[in-house]
Amino acid sequence: VQLQASGGGLVQAGGSLRLSCAASGSTFSTYAMGWFRQAPGKEREFVAAISWGGGRTLYVDSVKGRFTISRDNARNTVYLQMNSLKSEDTAVYYCAVSSTSGALATGKTDYWGQGTLVTVSS
């Protein structure tokens, strides 16, 4: 599986961005998908995950109510809608796949994509 993330950029605090991650490979729909982020000087952290069928989603507490993860299996793409952005959301965002959304939430991943930079100005 190859993953290509896009959609990052510069946005003012309170604004919105939507990240996309396109996956290659015919088995996309059998994987749980997720997003992680790494801020400058910090470790990579889990942000959100979605089950293969889309019925289960998980979020880190700091983004609950602001971020929404979704997927389109017909397009082999997972999305992260980010609203009410804060300066502390500034990071490089990575998409990843694993067998389950729960595994992603514990940092267990099978494949990583390259990152896309999100910068939130205050």
Side-chain angles (χ1 to χ4, degrees):
V1 176
Q2 292 186 328
L3 305 171
Q4 181 76 34
S6 62
L10 175 64
V11 63
Q12 288 188 333
S16 298
L17 279 176
R18 188 176 81 155
L19 305 183
S20 300
C21 177
S24 63
S26 60
T27 59
F28 170 81
S29 62
T30 66
Y31 282 104
M33 300 289 297
W35 291 94
F36 291 74
R37 66 186 179 186
Q38 187 167 19
K42 295 188 177 181
E43 294 186 352
R44 190 176 299 185
E45 68 166 347
F46 166 78
V47 175
I50 187 166
S51 60
W52 66 269
R56 184 187 187 201
T57 56
L58 297 171
Y59 298 93
V60 68
D61 286 347
S62 60
V63 308
K64 286 180 180 177
R66 301 188 298 120
F67 290 11
T68 302
I69 189 171
S70 61
R71 66 189 295 163
D72 183 342
N73 287 344
R75 297 177 182 270
N76 282 8
T77 301
V78 63
Y79 305 98
L80 186 68
Q81 178 67 43
M82 305 186 295
N83 298 328
S84 302
L85 283 161
K86 305 176 182 180
S87 57
E88 52 263 44
D89 295 318
T90 294
V92 177
Y93 284 72
Y94 301 86
C95 57
V97 301
S98 189
S99 56
T100 67
S101 53
L104 285 165
T106 63
K108 297 177 183 177
T109 62
D110 293 332
Y111 299 98
W112 287 99
Q114 96 297 347
T116 185
L117 176 63
V118 172
T119 304
V120 184
S121 63
S122 57

